[in-house]
Amino acid sequence: MIRAYLACVSWVDWNVGRLLAELDRLGLRERTIVVFWGDHGYQLGERGKWSKAGSLFEQGARVPLIVDAPGAAGNGRSSPRVVESIDIYPTLVELCGLPQPEGLEGRSLVPLLNNPEAPWNHPAHTVWSEDGRSLTGVSVRNERWRYTEFDGGKSGATLFDLDADPQELENLADDPQHADVRHELSQLVQAYAANYQPQ
C-alpha cells in the first residue's frame, strides 16, 4: 500500500510538471495563478490506521498547499506558517483583484506569498464528524501545538508539542506543566465548535 501511495504521488508530480511545462510553452505562466492542494492527509499505518477518515492527527489533517502567483516575492520559498484550506478562496479573490464577499471565512494568504516569514497568528482547525451533522472531534493547530477534544471533551483530549514530538506519540493533555496551553487551546476549540454549521 505504501508503494502504491508513493507511486500515486510520483504520478501526480509528473503530471503537474507536464502542466507547468505547457504553461511555459504557451507563454501563460506569468499570467496564471497555480494552486496545488489536497483535501486531507493520509495515514499509512501510523497507529494502525490506513486511511484519511476519522483522524485528527497531523498525518490525517495536514495537506499539501503550493501557490505560485505571478510577481509574488515568495514564489519558490516555503512558509512555516499554519494556514487553512478555507484561505485559498480569499487568496484567489485578492490575487484576481475582485471584491471580497461579505462574511467570507478564511484569510487571504497574499501577505505570506509576498513574505513567507510574515507574522501570522491564525491557528488552523480540523473537524471530524461521523454523521455530517455533529462533531466527533475538533482540533486546533498552531505552529507548535495540536490540541483536540473528542465529543466536546467528554471523550478525552490530546495535546501534542509538534516541535519536540512531531510523530505525536506523547499526549500532554493531562500534564500539569502544560495546563495553560491546554486551557488557551481548549477555548479556541470550544469557540469553533459553538459556531460550527454542518454543510
Side-chain angles (χ1 to χ4, degrees):
M1 285 184 71
I2 293 172
R3 283 195 299 267
Y5 183 88
L6 296 175
C8 289
V9 171
S10 295
W11 185 78
V12 168
D13 183 60
W14 176 70
N15 279 292
V16 169
R18 290 175 61 216
L19 173 69
L20 295 178
E22 189 65 10
L23 287 174
D24 288 337
R25 188 186 73 75
L26 295 171
L28 297 174
R29 187 76 177 271
E30 290 306 313
R31 294 186 300 148
T32 303
I33 301 164
V34 177
V35 181
F36 178 88
W37 81 98
D39 67 339
H40 54 74
Y42 203 92
Q43 288 183 218
L44 296 169
E46 300 89 358
R47 298 173 186 82
K49 186 166 184 50
W50 293 89
S51 70
K52 61 175 176 130
S55 175
L56 292 174
F57 290 105
E58 189 74 0
Q59 292 104 338
R62 190 178 186 121
V63 299
L65 175 61
I66 299 171
V67 180
D68 183 85
N75 282 345
R77 295 168 48 202
S78 64
S79 175
R81 304 302 176 233
V82 174
V83 301
E84 298 181 284
S85 296
I86 61 171
D87 297 331
I88 296 170
Y89 180 73
T91 302
L92 292 174
V93 168
E94 182 173 347
L95 288 172
C96 293
L98 301 171
Q100 294 280 352
E102 287 287 324
L104 188 63
E105 290 187 68
R107 294 170 181 81
S108 172
L109 302 175
V110 168
L112 296 179
L113 297 179
N114 290 319
N115 176 8
E117 301 286 336
W120 186 265
N121 188 24
H122 308 292
H125 295 85
T126 309
V127 300
W128 167 26
S129 174
E130 283 294 320
D131 61 11
R133 295 181 302 279
S134 59
L135 292 171
T136 306
V138 179
S139 185
V140 65
R141 167 81 155 87
N142 61 29
E143 287 183 29
R144 179 173 177 184
W145 302 97
R146 173 177 290 285
Y147 176 73
T148 304
E149 290 183 359
F150 300 93
D151 191 23
K154 295 187 285 276
S155 297
T158 58
L159 174 67
F160 297 108
D161 180 348
L162 297 175
D163 286 348
D165 179 23
Q167 300 302 314
E168 297 174 309
L169 299 174
E170 184 179 1
N171 183 2
L172 302 172
D174 294 325
D175 185 334
Q177 292 182 29
H178 303 294
D180 290 345
V181 172
R182 178 178 178 167
H183 176 73
E184 176 187 339
L185 297 177
S186 179
Q187 288 183 314
L188 293 175
V189 162
Q190 290 174 28
Y192 188 88
N195 291 315
Y196 177 72
Q197 305 265 332
Q199 299 301 317

